[in-house]
Amino acid sequence: METKSNIILNPVLWLVIALTLGLAPFVPEPHIWEKLKWILSGAEGMKAIDWFDFFMHGTPWIMLVISLSQKLNKR
């Protein structure tokens, strides 16, 4: 169980994943940024696949925040 805890609490790992998978594809703009703008403008026309895509690209960012907060709370 120690290994699982170390993986979840490793902010460097989640930062690398967030900067690669969380932002991919990078051109013309990061995908997660495009989805966030779409949601903030009312999410009109978003289909289930778009929500799934938002969740998949957003998960590394959420895990980064969780790992950072857990790391800071341990100190």
Side-chain angles (χ1 to χ4, degrees):
M1 198 64 146
E2 187 74 28
T3 305
K4 184 178 179 183
S5 175
N6 288 339
I7 291 171
I8 292 172
L9 296 179
N10 189 344
V12 175
L13 171 69
W14 289 111
L15 178 63
V16 170
I17 294 171
L19 291 176
T20 54
L21 296 175
L23 293 176
F26 302 99
V27 178
E29 65 183 349
H31 207 55
I32 190 73
W33 183 248
E34 179 184 3
K35 297 292 183 188
L36 277 172
K37 289 190 327 188
W38 195 359
I39 291 168
L40 292 174
S41 68
E44 256 185 67
M46 281 189 79
K47 298 177 182 164
I49 190 73
D50 297 314
W51 286 105
F52 177 75
D53 195 34
F54 173 71
F55 174 75
M56 293 303 290
H57 287 279
T59 300
W61 294 101
I62 293 168
M63 291 303 297
L64 175 62
V65 169
I66 290 170
S67 68
L68 283 172
S69 65
Q70 292 294 321
K71 200 77 150 166
L72 292 173
N73 283 339
K74 275 190 164 185
R75 291 183 184 179

